Amino acid sequence: MARSALLNVMVQAAFKAGKSLARDFGEVQNLQVSLKGPGDYVSQADRKAEKLVREELLKSRPTYGFLGEESEEIIGTDGAHRWIVDPLDGTTNFLHGIPHFAISIALERQGEIVAAVVLNPATDELFTAERGGGAFLNDRRLRVAARKNLSDAVIGTGMPHLGVANHGTYLVELRHVMGEVAGVRRMGAAVLDLAYVAAGRFDGFWERGLFPWDLAAGILLIREAGGWVADIDGGNKPMDDGSIVAGNEYIRKALHEVLHRPIPGK
């Protein structure tokens, strides 16, 4: 596959940070589990990875803005372009030695995501996409799964955890979805889960309470793989809303309808 100069910059930045995270991942499994130790260690890994990505991207395009999970936003003098970065999506997996985490880099141009990179350093799986150019896993072209019925579908999701609101809403949604699908999976890294939708591994996905860096790269991957993305209320701005429902045309629509079923007794 031919990559643009910009996408090559993004891939290079992801691999540079990925080497750092892979080294840290090997060490974190050997740390004693204590609130202070591993938590601090993972925070250091996050910040170090974001610093590497930011330096690499801004070295190539110093006028672009930068929005990352671990640092204050940089407003670029360019005005039209912004990098959106999550240096470690799936921190809890990382902390527990579970090899399902990713570096996510997206490029936004005048409010639209135009390029995306998602790298899992533990498996060396590299997902890339450019607007109008398709989505790829390493060098293989991606298409979303073709299943049309929820009864045949495996659906990914993200569950609210300790300290996060809306547990009750989620449990109602989960109950409705569980009764309609072949399986539900909670993997713990939203952007990588969205990449799995693009790759056809998941037929669909839904989650609330997300941030732009959780969503940006995954949204483009799915769209370029022929999929559909919306927020849970059916709008077209999941990054503004912080929620997402994704899949092919049929699964996304069916999943949206299930998620909006009335709660019994109300």
Side-chain angles (χ1 to χ4, degrees):
M1 57 165 288
R3 294 178 183 146
S4 70
L6 271 173
L7 191 61
N8 279 328
V9 167
M10 296 165 69
V11 169
Q12 183 176 343
F15 274 117
K16 190 168 185 179
K19 289 180 181 178
S20 175
L21 282 182
R23 287 193 300 268
D24 289 340
F25 184 62
E27 294 298 321
V28 78
Q29 298 177 75
N30 299 321
L31 294 179
Q32 279 213 329
V33 178
S34 68
L35 184 59
K36 186 164 173 117
D40 286 351
Y41 191 83
V42 171
S43 295
Q44 292 169 21
D46 277 12
R47 290 193 293 267
K48 181 166 61 174
E50 182 165 307
K51 183 173 183 290
L52 289 169
V53 171
R54 184 176 64 246
E55 288 176 350
E56 197 72 21
L57 295 177
L58 295 182
K59 179 174 68 176
S60 173
R61 299 293 191 276
T63 63
Y64 287 13
F66 185 94
L67 176 65
E69 183 179 9
E70 301 299 329
S71 59
E72 289 189 14
E73 182 175 2
I74 297 171
I75 306 299
T77 57
D78 172 278
H81 294 86
R82 179 172 68 160
W83 303 111
I84 302 176
V85 173
D86 191 341
L88 177 52
D89 187 29
T91 303
T92 301
N93 286 347
F94 184 93
L95 173 61
H96 287 81
I98 300 169
H100 189 81
F101 58 91
I103 299 160
S104 172
I105 305 172
L107 176 61
E108 183 182 58
R109 177 179 296 140
Q110 295 179 333
E112 297 291 332
I113 305 302
V114 297
V117 169
V118 175
L119 172 68
N120 182 346
T123 62
D124 287 327
E125 288 193 321
L126 175 69
F127 299 85
T128 59
E130 292 186 89
R131 190 168 66 180
F136 295 83
L137 169 53
N138 297 330
D139 292 325
R140 179 172 64 85
R141 184 74 176 258
L142 297 181
R143 293 294 298 178
V144 294
R147 296 178 186 88
K148 296 182 179 182
N149 299 315
L150 280 180
S151 58
D152 300 322
V154 171
I155 303 297
T157 186
M159 299 179 181
H161 49 76
L162 180 68
V164 177
N166 296 322
H167 287 211
T169 298
Y170 177 77
L171 288 173
V172 172
E173 291 175 348
L174 179 61
R175 181 175 64 180
H176 288 164
V177 174
M178 285 170 58
E180 299 290 340
V181 303
V184 178
R185 301 289 183 268
R186 199 281 194 189
M187 305 289 282
V191 77
L192 197 50
D193 296 342
L194 294 173
Y196 276 27
V197 175
R201 295 173 179 177
F202 289 159
D203 297 284
F205 182 87
W206 95 95
E207 188 172 358
R208 297 178 185 268
L210 296 170
F211 295 94
W213 47 80
D214 298 316
L215 292 167
I219 287 172
L220 185 66
L221 283 167
I222 291 171
R223 286 175 173 163
E224 288 299 320
W228 294 63
V229 173
D231 58 59
I232 284 182
D233 289 330
N236 196 36
K237 295 186 178 294
M239 284 175 54
D240 294 337
D241 185 74
S243 71
I244 190 166
V245 183
N248 65 28
E249 178 182 2
Y250 304 98
I251 296 296
R252 190 214 61 81
K253 182 180 179 182
L255 184 57
H256 178 267
E257 290 173 355
V258 171
L259 291 170
H260 284 80
R261 282 182 182 167
I263 300 172
K266 290 193 174 182

